[in-house]
Amino acid sequence: MKTAAATGAVPIERRAVDYRVDPFDLQLFEAVVAQGSITAGAQAMSLSLAAASARIQALEHRVGVRLLERSKTGAVATDAGRALSRQSHRVLAELDSLHVAMSAFGRGLRGTVRLLGNTAAIVEALPPRLGGFLAAHPDIDVELQEMASDAALQALREGVADVAIVADHVDTRGLDARPWLEDELVALVPAVGRRRASTRFVDLLDQSFVGLGADSGLSRFLLAQAARCGRVPHHRVRVSGFDAMAPLVAAGAGVAVMPRGAAERYLSPALRILRLDDPWARRTLLICHSAQAPSLPGVRALIEALSASGPVPPRARSNPEPNPEPNPNPNPKAKAKAKAKGRSASATHSTGARSASLPAPSRRGSRR
């Protein structure tokens, strides 16, 4: 084999690349990519624009490739920048894991688990279960974010999140998924008109809706189901939570779709719950994570805690539907019979069995 010296070719000088990257620079780069500009990324990291630009340039110099395409409108990651972003998520997660592991030997270091969930998980299932986990693990923080099920799984695949709680209608291939809780979507409607136990979602589309924000996971899901019917829901108003939806529905502003737990909690005499006959209304919530996630102590602890948590008793409704009160005017015959029985017992005790027959002659006399 001929060498470069033998052929007269000039050997290519390869510059040694310095891969000693500051984790803070990775966090800054992530902020710039997420915000879409170096200026916004600098503000998110509490840096001046000059300091942020210098750090990004130094990072590009260390890895030996351009990471951002800069323009007057902002900054976009190059192919190399997107590859670095995927790797930096894992590196930063490993550092958080290191902090959690070392916290057993010294206080002051914390770890963060990034947990995503659909609307039902974030609003209904997770709050009563996360409290105990956070109390038992004071050195682990949970970064909780609502996201549609399909988007949450995409975030897992890209390494942006550690754990996701999703409905079972999505494709979980390539991820570890285990059944967690049963969930049901129901319709909350005003308690007027024809009484019925159930309805189809397509029939609800003939009415106006009271819904959550357009970006919420539940709103996106319902929009997709309506699109399958060739329809678009008409929203009279959108609010931030189920607690605000219930009084609007009770006032007749429209109908709503929400998890059964929320509907039962805010049920009142002015509202009625209808079961949805659509198959997608009854689903199983899944705990999903990547195959590597359990190797991180904080993530593993959260997965184990959620998997071990059983069904939580339903929370008390803020406006419980009152139980029927006893009828102040019961059936006259039953009332007369009860009084006659009481008088009979009293008369037997005081004057003997003869008094027990007294009411009968009185009734015959009254008929005359």
Side-chain angles (χ1 to χ4, degrees):
M1 184 175 64
K2 295 183 179 180
T3 64
T7 60
V10 179
I12 299 174
E13 181 181 356
R14 296 185 179 275
R15 181 175 60 85
V17 180
D18 183 1
Y19 286 109
R20 291 175 295 178
V21 177
D22 188 337
F24 184 83
D25 290 343
L26 293 179
Q27 293 176 332
L28 172 61
F29 178 73
E30 288 298 308
V32 171
V33 172
Q35 300 293 333
S37 72
I38 297 178
T39 301
Q43 293 175 348
M45 298 298 294
S46 301
L47 289 176
S48 67
L49 176 59
S53 297
R55 280 184 169 272
I56 293 295
Q57 290 176 359
L59 177 61
E60 290 178 323
H61 179 76
R62 288 193 186 98
V63 299
V65 67
R66 181 180 293 276
L67 300 174
L68 294 173
E69 290 291 348
R70 299 163 176 82
S71 67
K72 293 182 179 180
T73 58
V76 179
T78 62
D79 289 341
R82 286 191 290 271
L84 176 67
S85 179
R86 289 191 295 269
Q87 295 295 331
S88 66
H89 285 310
R90 298 186 180 95
V91 170
L92 294 173
E94 291 286 351
L95 287 175
D96 279 339
S97 170
L98 174 64
H99 292 171
V100 173
M102 292 298 102
S103 65
F105 301 95
R107 297 298 175 183
L109 298 177
R110 308 188 65 84
T112 300
V113 179
R114 293 161 296 181
L115 174 61
L116 306 180
N118 64 3
T119 305
I122 295 295
V123 177
E124 292 295 312
L126 284 171
R129 293 170 171 83
L130 275 182
F133 172 80
L134 293 172
H137 300 83
D139 295 320
I140 301 177
D141 298 331
V142 175
E143 184 179 310
L144 190 61
Q145 183 179 354
E146 180 187 348
M147 192 174 291
S149 293
D150 51 354
L153 293 188
Q154 184 62 29
L156 281 184
R157 295 186 175 99
E158 294 177 354
V160 180
D162 300 308
V163 183
I165 308 297
V166 301
D168 60 356
H169 61 80
V170 292
D171 183 6
T172 61
R173 283 180 296 182
L175 299 168
D176 287 351
R178 65 186 72 181
W180 187 38
L181 297 174
E182 297 300 318
D183 179 53
E184 182 185 6
L185 294 176
V186 298
L188 191 67
V189 301
V192 294
R194 182 170 61 90
R195 287 190 171 273
R196 48 184 173 166
S198 65
T199 186
R200 298 183 305 163
F201 180 65
V202 68
D203 295 331
L204 288 179
L205 294 174
D206 294 331
Q207 306 180 56
S208 298
F209 273 74
V210 175
L212 298 175
D215 292 333
S216 72
L218 180 59
S219 292
R220 290 174 179 267
F221 176 75
L222 294 177
L223 181 62
Q225 299 306 319
R228 293 182 178 182
C229 306
R231 306 282 297 276
V232 177
H234 170 233
H235 282 83
R236 296 289 307 283
V237 63
R238 293 183 183 273
V239 294
S240 60
F242 298 131
D243 56 337
M245 294 168 66
L248 289 168
V249 174
V255 299
V257 174
M258 63 180 65
R260 178 174 286 277
E264 291 179 345
R265 185 162 64 255
Y266 300 116
L267 187 63
S268 72
L271 294 169
R272 189 161 70 246
I273 295 174
L274 300 183
R275 185 180 67 253
L276 289 177
D277 293 331
D278 306 83
W280 50 259
R282 282 161 292 283
R283 66 258 183 96
T284 300
L285 296 182
L286 308 175
I287 300 177
C288 298
H289 55 83
S290 66
Q292 298 78 23
S295 64
L296 307 176
V299 177
R300 182 174 64 250
L302 178 61
I303 293 173
E304 292 174 351
L306 292 179
S307 300
S309 63
V312 173
R315 288 172 281 179
R317 304 185 206 139
S318 58
N319 295 305
E321 185 175 14
N323 292 325
E325 296 182 358
N327 188 351
N329 298 311
N331 186 299
K333 292 183 179 180
K335 185 176 181 180
K337 184 176 180 181
K339 286 185 175 181
K341 183 176 180 182
R343 287 196 300 267
S344 174
S346 174
T348 301
H349 177 74
S350 59
T351 62
R354 183 183 62 83
S355 301
S357 60
L358 290 177
S362 174
R363 288 195 296 273
R364 288 194 299 270
S366 64
R367 282 196 295 270
R368 294 191 187 97

